[in-house]
Amino acid sequence: MAVATPPGEGGVAIVRLSGPLAPMLLKRLHGRVRPKWESHKLYYGPIVQADGQVLDQGLVTWMKAPHSYTGEEVAELHLHGGQALAQLVVQTCLIHGARLAEPGEFTLRAFLNGKLDLTQAEAVQQLIQSRSQIAAQLASRNLTGYFSSQVEGVRQDLLHWLSLLEAEIDFGDEVPGLPLDQSLQRWGRAYEAVDRLLQQGQSGKILADGLRTVIVGAPNAGKSTLMNALLGRPRALVTEIAGTTRDTLEEPLVVAGVSLLLVDTAGVRRDSQDLVEQMGIQRSRQEAEQADLLIWVVDGHATEPPDPDFYQMVFERPHLLLLNKKDLGLAPWTADDQGRLIGLPISLAQGADELWPALEQLVRELVGEQSDVMRLTHRQWETLLRARDSLQSLGETLEAGLSAEFLALDLRAAVQALGQIQGLDVGEEILDRIFSTFCLGK
Ligand SMILES: Nc1nc2c(ncn2[C@@H]2O[C@H](COP(=O)(O)OP(=O)(O)OP(=O)(O)O)[C@@H](O)[C@H]2O)c(=O)[nH]1
Ligand SMILES: [Mg+2]
């Protein structure tokens, strides 16, 4: 039993009970004798304490097992939304023998009773915690089992393949193995499907959580000028003194319909003697590592090309390289051997108009096809990665021409990972970890 509505004052508070004794408790709490109770009907009447004293007038309902959220007998009391009142009803339930539910226990029971698979149970949590409308829409699609059905499609394909391999292992002489081209075809289909789910998950994450967009570069390159130009207001301090920005500055910005968190950082240089600046530089590097998207601002007028350290920091992530201060004339190193510029030439002091199309395009590429995005939990993402690793190894085993036993080993690992996404073969510890993050009463 738990209060299913948030604490505080409100129109209605709901106390929910689940388990075989729920109907009996409901009868005790409802102060009116009813010769016949029907499932899934609302009844109006008094709600009473153990000593018979009336606490409230409200609606009560009983949902007969298995036609309830948890799959068990469920009873709900809809009271006036006062915190003290809800607590009095909770105490009355305790006196009648109920116990308080753990966080997420109702949903855990729904999962254990087969009402939801694990991705759907996780979608309940995602839905409740959604901070943006798009995040809520994506979670609600998972709640219908959309993600599970995609995973199940791949798993069934692999299971079929596995049964063929096992027949080959057990009855080697009578059952011929699959020809290599057919195996490769099956492998390609599964690998692509899993890889696509991961890509869709990446896009979903960007849409739901936004892109952490970090502006990096050497001191004085024009990073803060860029921040201000993109925001359209003088948010960051800009001076001709190298090392002006000491700490990181964050501001939200919407680009191509996607929310970005723009982060201005301290200019990175090797030879800083100033302790505060050194700390700022350290923070800039950390920010760069956590970025979803990097904008590298380079002073294109400088006589020397940028520190090679930057290439390593920037090029392993999605990035945009800006050659700033083109109004002063770009230095020869800004072009490669064929005379092509190594980045987008721009004058940030005159605004970011030329930058918008490139930034919008990059954001669109990162999000991918919007109709095909998927919101994954961290667990789902990690487990999908594990499935893809097993498939990767399966591909190598196939290429090496190893026997059915070896193929079956990789295949089993992939099938197991895909099953775990839906909640098959998942240990108690993992379930505890998932459901303990749920709110009380869900
Ligand atoms: N000529 C010219 N000057 C620019 C341009 N963009 C920025 N500046 C100047 O460059 C200087 C440094 O700009 P900031 O935006 O403070 O540079 P920063 O990269 O944030 O520097 P730190 O915070 O010190 O790391 C300022 O004097 C700007 O006015 C440009 O496109 N052309
Ligand atoms: Mg700055």
Side-chain angles (χ1 to χ4, degrees), residues 215-228 264-268 297:
I215 306 171
V216 290
N220 242 353
K223 300 177 295 301
S224 302
T225 310
L226 167 65
M227 173 94 161
N228 294 343
D264 183 19
T265 61
V268 174
V297 185

Side-chain angles (χ1 to χ4, degrees), residues 101-116:
E102 304 285 332
E105 190 172 348
F106 293 110
T107 311
L108 172 64
R109 289 190 180 191
F111 165 68
L112 294 174
N113 292 326
K115 300 293 284 187
L116 302 169

